[in-house]
Structure formats: C-alpha cells, structure tokens
Amino acid sequence: MTIVIDDAHFSNKDAMMQVAVPLAIHSGGRLRIVISGTHSVASWMTKQVAAAQARFLDSAILPFTKEVVNLIDKSSSSTANTPGYSAELWENTRGWPLIVQLFLLSSNQHADVHELTSEAARITVAAYLEDHVLAGLRDELKEFILLATAVNRFDSDLVTTLTQNENAPALADECRRMGLFLEPLVSGDEINYRWHSYFAEACQAILKRRSPGRFEEANKAASRWMREVDPGPSIIHAIRSGDPDFILETIEDVWILLVTSGQGSLLENYCFQLSNPQRSTPSILYILAACRDMAGDYAGGKVLHTRADAALELLDDDRRQRSEETGMLVKLIISDDTKELVSNVNTANESLREIDLLDRQGIHRAFLVGWRMIRLRHQPERAVRLLSAVAGAARGNGDYSLANRASANLAFALSFAGQFTTTRQVLSRMPPSSGEASSSSTLFDHFDGGVDAMAAQIAAYWQGDMELAVKYGQELHSYGGTVSSNPALGRIYMACAASFINDSELWGESFKALTKVSDVESHGVPWPAYKALSAAHIHRAIGDKSAAVNYLGTIKSGHGMNNDVRHGGKPVAASWLS
C-alpha cells in the first residue's frame, strides 16, 4: 500500500516524525509513504536517509518518458483522436507532469479539439504558475526566477550577471532541487542549466506585465553578455528589450560575426523582425544588402545599397560614423567596382590597427579584410599575415569554424602566390572535410565555399598534376554554388587542366561545365576573361586553333591575364596573349 502526502511543507517536522515515520517503520514493509514538498522537507528526513529507512527522489527522475506521455494522451478523451497530438504534447512538455496535466486540462476546455491551440495552454500554464507556484516562494527566490528566465540556458557567470546576485548559482541549484522546471546539463566539471521553455516564457510574461523596466534591463543584460559568445540570441534579446537604439547598436556590433560564420539568412530574418523605421536606417539597409548579395540576389543587394547611401546623408555626425563603418565593411562583400574595393580594403586594413585582434569582432573583421585582399590579389603578403593570425586567434578562442575557414583561405592565398608546398602543408593540418563547400546550407558558403579544394586544385594544376586538378574541379562542380563562386573558378581550372589530357569526353564535360560560370565581372573578378581563356584551352586541345584565338580575342586588356597564364611556367598559353 502507498500513501502520498502532498504539500508536506505546509505541515511540520513533528507531525511527520510522530505519524508518517512510525507508520512506515512498523508496517513490516507493507506500507510505503511518499512525502512531497519543498526542499525544507528533505532536511526533516536526514536521519532516516542515513539509516537507509528513506531515500530522496530528485526532481530529475519525475518527468514522464515519451512512451508514458503517449499512453496518457491515448487515454485522454479530448485528444485521443487528434492526429499528432501525442508528439506535440511531448515536444511542448518534455514529460513534466504538471505541464502535461495543464495541457490536457486546457484541451478539455475545448469542445472541438481540432481548434485547440497552444495559446490556450500557455494561458493556463502562466496563470497556474503565477498563482500557485511563484506565489508560494520567498521573495529572493521569486526575484531570481523572474530575472533568470530571461534566457533558456545559463551557466553561473551568465545567471550572476542577469540577476546581479552573487548567490545566483546556489539559487539555481535550489530551483533544481525544488523541481522548479530547471534541468542541469553536466559536461565534465561544468554545470549549465536549462529552464523548461513554457516555464521561462510564462515567467517572462509575468515580469513584463509587472515591471516593464526590469524586463527590458534583463534582456539588455542577456544581449550584452551574448554578443561575443552567441550573436544570434544577442539580437533576439535586444529586440525583446524594445529599445530601438540598443537594437541598432547590437546588430551593428554582431552582424559581421553572423555573416562570416555563414549565417546571413538568420541575420536577414532578425532584421525583418524590426519595425519599418528601424529597417530603413542606413546600417540595417547596408546589412540587408550584404545578405541579399550573398544569397545571389545581386539586384536586390544593389537597390538596398543605394537606399542606404541615400539615407546616410540624412544622419548626424555620431550616427553617421557608425553607419559609414558598417557600409565600408559591407562594400567589401558586395561591391563590383575594383577601385572602390581597393579603397575600402585599404581603409579597413588601416582600421585594424585600432582593433584588438583578440576580440571576436576584431578577428572576424580581420578575416573579412584578408579574404577580400586575396580575391583582389591586393597586398597578398598582408593577406597571408592576416589570415594566419586569424586562424591562430580563432582556434585559441575555440572558434574552430572560423579557424578552418581562415586556414582554407590562407591556403588559397598561398596557392595564388605560387607557394604550393606550403599550401599543401596548411591543407594537411586542417581537419578532414573542413571545406565549407561540402554543404551549401549557409549563405557564406555560396560565396566562399570549397576554398580549400580550390587551393588544392590550383597547387595541383601549377605543379603539373592535371588529373588531380580535374578531380578537384569535378568535386567543386558537384557543389553547385553560384556562377561567381569558388566552384565556378574550379570549373575554369578544370577546363584548363582537361585540355592537357587526351580525353575527348573530358573536354566535352569540362566545356559544358563552363556554362555555370558568370558572363559578367563580379566583385573584382574578371569572369568573362577567365571563361574565354579556359574555352580557348579546350578548343586548342580539340585542334580548333582558330576558335581558340577568337576566344582569346574577346579578353579585354587590363585584366592581368598575361601574368596569370605565365605564372607557374605555361609559356604556350602565355604566347597566345603576347
């Protein structure tokens, strides 16, 4: 037989010792008593626990399993015939008994379960938590919960910053022991915590209603803390704060971290959550222009860029300086004007002297400058030093994604400089498949994907290993990418390499791949000239020298193509342009 004594903390220790404990001890094992209450109840039973007459049941073992939630749903008259509700119930509650019960209670209040929305459950949960959970807590713990739930996950440093309470880690552990919807996440010696999402959401709604100012400050504190470590959520918390100036400042600070990490689409979504006046500020327009350009919408990017330039003229000096700085960096990504790019690269490079490269924003900024330098073949020695420094600093900060990207671009720069042995050494130190082109799921990859394979292909080509160069070209071609991406450059080198191999099928495959190469100059890269040169290589291999010369005749002067084809000792191709 089992007796459950709920809310035992409303009783007292003497009652438990005089009634519950003797009944359990003298029942001969036929009676089990479950005492449920807050942490104070645990202190009443220490003697019995030490004597193995009782044991504590931690709140972590109380949630239902997925299978149990499924059984509960099937037994519920209101949801049993609702397709997919069991899975939804599990995802929304993660098995917390109280939340499961409240969800089902909310559904029972609807005559038509097909019209059931989670909003009804949220209202029910929030009302219950405010009236029956938070109301029974002491003030310090209640204050802690309302502030700490500004974030779903936290460690001791973050929660101390949020609550401005040195006892925050102890209060978090108290919440865990009390079963207040807080789950510990242990990794080695580190302990992080995660709130149940509905509990956190309800507490924040309560805080916002009771004290809008404290709600704003809690989200600002979370946003500031996350700028370096998690820029996406930093923007989310800035938006929640509702302060237009703070939102703009946050996005201006972190946008470059998202762009150079391949999260341009995420950044764009955040910007579209802003009000119309906020989206019309020069900085946001510049950032949206970069996102559009990197998504392949070059026309849209140019329109937004033009709007940003016009809006910039209306700003006062303080705001204008920050927007001009944002615009300068964005133009490193989107500009097609070589002279403008060189000017902006030089300005951005000078600005790095005033930036701490140990700072995460500084590291990503330096990466963008070095990346653009090697695309322009401008100050290549400086580009190599920058990318080498970025790779080391990023790896030291645990930012392995940027470290690998910087290393791949470093290899790319070294390959263009003819340092092929060093190129291979840099690539060999990178993790397998570190090249981002293996997936085109992020916007920066469309613009920069496959750079490590590209570097390896260039080294193979100029060292005379044409079969390996073709292999890398086929790999790059399979990645897709835009017509002005690294895979497009891989198609150029593939065609040139194929022309030195006696294989007519390969010539046809390589020539066909050139249809996926841009016909217009873009971001300072003379794509039409590269495309004509590689087509000329294929026609030379076929034996149609007249067509080869015609292709070469379409190349405009000033592209430096003669130096390109002479580089690495290919005098036959160079002689066509002499």
Side-chain angles (χ1 to χ4, degrees):
M1 181 178 182
T2 299
I3 297 176
V4 177
I5 303 175
D6 199 7
D7 291 332
H9 50 278
F10 290 120
S11 180
N12 56 64
K13 181 177 180 180
D14 289 342
M16 293 298 110
M17 295 300 105
Q18 293 173 14
V19 179
V21 172
L23 278 174
I25 292 176
H26 299 297
S27 68
R30 293 186 297 274
L31 178 64
R32 175 179 296 173
I33 297 180
V34 179
I35 301 173
S36 172
T38 62
H39 68 290
S40 60
V41 174
S43 65
W44 300 346
M45 298 293 173
T46 52
K47 179 179 178 181
Q48 286 70 32
V49 170
Q53 295 172 333
R55 67 188 181 96
F56 293 128
L57 297 179
D58 191 272
S59 60
I61 72 170
L62 297 179
F64 299 133
T65 64
K66 190 173 184 178
E67 292 72 21
V68 171
V69 168
N70 186 44
L71 289 173
I72 293 172
D73 173 47
K74 289 184 182 301
S75 67
S76 171
S77 59
S78 62
T79 64
N81 296 317
T82 305
Y85 189 77
S86 177
E88 180 185 346
L89 188 62
W90 169 255
E91 287 301 319
N92 284 325
T93 66
R94 307 307 289 184
W96 282 93
L98 173 63
I99 307 297
V100 171
Q101 180 182 5
L102 290 174
F103 257 75
L104 293 174
L105 174 63
S106 177
S107 69
N108 280 323
Q109 297 170 355
H110 290 73
D112 184 355
V113 295
H114 296 285
E115 295 178 359
L116 175 64
T117 64
S118 59
E119 184 60 28
R122 284 187 171 89
I123 293 171
T124 306
V125 169
Y128 181 89
L129 290 174
E130 184 169 12
D131 295 340
H132 299 285
V133 176
L134 295 180
L137 302 177
R138 69 182 192 281
D139 289 343
E140 182 187 23
L141 191 58
K142 187 189 307 179
E143 174 84 359
F144 167 82
I145 291 171
L146 291 176
L147 294 175
T149 49
V151 295
N152 282 336
R153 297 174 61 140
F154 60 82
D155 60 14
S156 59
D157 290 337
L158 174 54
V159 77
T160 301
T161 299
L162 281 178
T163 62
Q164 294 295 295
N165 188 332
E166 293 183 355
N167 295 324
L171 292 170
D173 190 59
E174 184 176 349
C175 288
R176 178 195 65 78
R177 288 185 282 106
M178 292 178 66
L180 287 172
F181 310 99
L182 189 61
E183 177 186 2
L185 305 171
V186 182
S187 177
D189 294 333
E190 295 184 3
I191 299 180
N192 292 298
Y193 289 96
R194 177 173 60 199
W195 294 109
H196 187 284
S197 59
Y198 271 78
F199 179 75
E201 182 182 309
C203 290
Q204 284 300 287
I206 294 167
L207 178 63
K208 187 175 184 179
R209 188 183 73 249
R210 290 183 178 179
S211 180
R214 290 167 68 221
F215 174 84
E216 177 182 330
E217 287 305 315
N219 278 283
K220 283 184 176 180
S223 177
R224 292 189 192 97
W225 196 90
M226 291 179 177
R227 284 187 189 182
E228 284 281 326
V229 297
D230 209 349
S234 176
I235 295 176
I236 291 174
H237 285 288
I239 293 173
R240 285 178 184 168
S241 78
D243 183 336
D245 292 336
F246 183 79
I247 294 169
L248 182 59
E249 173 194 313
T250 300
I251 295 177
E252 285 176 334
D253 274 356
V254 307
W255 73 270
I256 196 169
L257 304 182
L258 292 167
V259 165
T260 52
S261 298
Q263 300 180 72
S265 59
L266 187 64
L267 174 62
E268 188 174 41
N269 287 336
Y270 291 145
C271 290
F272 280 128
Q273 294 178 33
L274 307 180
S275 65
N276 285 331
Q278 287 175 311
R279 285 204 305 270
S280 299
T281 58
S283 287
I284 299 301
L285 288 171
Y286 280 130
I287 291 166
L288 285 171
C291 294
R292 284 291 82 215
D293 184 274
M294 294 172 65
D297 181 9
Y298 305 124
K302 289 183 185 300
V303 169
L304 289 165
H305 177 263
T306 301
R307 285 182 58 195
D309 283 343
L312 187 64
E313 299 300 321
L314 304 177
L315 291 184
D316 57 34
D317 290 342
D318 290 339
R319 288 280 350 133
R320 186 187 181 97
Q321 183 177 356
R322 285 184 66 89
S323 293
E324 283 179 337
E325 184 175 339
T326 300
M328 173 191 68
L329 294 172
V330 165
K331 287 172 184 178
L332 294 182
I333 297 171
I334 72 173
S335 179
D336 283 329
D337 187 308
T338 302
K339 289 184 179 179
E340 182 183 45
L341 279 169
V342 170
S343 174
N344 282 320
V345 161
N346 289 338
T347 303
N349 184 37
E350 283 299 315
S351 72
L352 292 178
R353 303 180 190 281
E354 302 174 5
I355 291 175
D356 182 3
L357 288 184
L358 296 179
D359 173 82
R360 195 176 178 203
Q361 278 97 343
I363 294 172
H364 283 253
R365 186 167 178 161
F367 168 77
L368 185 60
V369 174
W371 170 83
R372 176 47 73 189
M373 280 179 169
I374 64 172
R375 293 309 184 279
L376 288 171
R377 308 205 196 159
H378 178 68
Q379 298 188 45
E381 296 84 2
R382 171 64 172 165
V384 167
R385 290 197 299 273
L386 274 177
L387 292 170
S388 181
V390 167
R395 189 164 285 109
N397 285 349
D399 190 348
Y400 298 110
S401 175
L402 181 65
N404 291 336
R405 196 187 291 276
S407 294
N409 277 273
L410 173 61
F412 189 54
L414 291 168
S415 68
F416 265 116
Q419 299 181 38
F420 305 125
T421 301
T422 309
T423 297
R424 293 181 185 277
Q425 289 173 347
V426 170
L427 292 173
S428 69
R429 290 194 293 267
M430 293 174 59
S433 302
S434 60
E436 301 296 337
S438 58
S439 168
S440 59
S441 60
T442 55
L443 291 185
F444 204 84
D445 294 346
H446 286 303
F447 199 40
D448 198 46
V451 68
D452 52 349
M454 188 69 249
Q457 185 190 34
I458 293 172
Y461 179 81
W462 292 119
Q463 288 185 320
D465 192 341
M466 299 305 169
E467 290 185 355
L468 184 59
V470 167
K471 178 183 176 183
Y472 279 120
Q474 290 169 330
E475 178 184 342
L476 285 159
H477 180 54
S478 70
Y479 295 155
T482 67
V483 294
S484 56
S485 59
N486 281 324
L489 189 57
R491 293 170 192 126
I492 298 291
Y493 271 89
M494 179 171 74
C496 292
S499 72
F500 292 96
I501 301 173
N502 187 21
D503 186 335
S504 59
E505 288 188 9
L506 183 58
W507 297 339
E509 175 191 345
S510 301
F511 189 76
K512 183 179 180 181
L514 294 177
T515 61
K516 300 294 185 181
V517 176
S518 178
D519 290 316
V520 295
E521 185 171 335
S522 174
H523 302 294
V525 180
W527 292 107
Y530 285 164
K531 190 172 183 177
L533 177 64
S534 54
H537 270 77
I538 293 294
H539 282 82
R540 175 192 61 79
I542 294 171
D544 190 348
K545 291 187 177 181
S546 176
V549 171
N550 288 337
Y551 273 110
L552 294 177
T554 66
I555 298 176
K556 298 177 182 179
S557 61
H559 285 316
M561 292 297 295
N562 196 44
N563 289 334
D564 284 343
V565 293
R566 283 187 189 277
H567 179 69
K570 290 288 180 289
V572 174
S575 66
W576 297 348
L577 299 177
S578 297

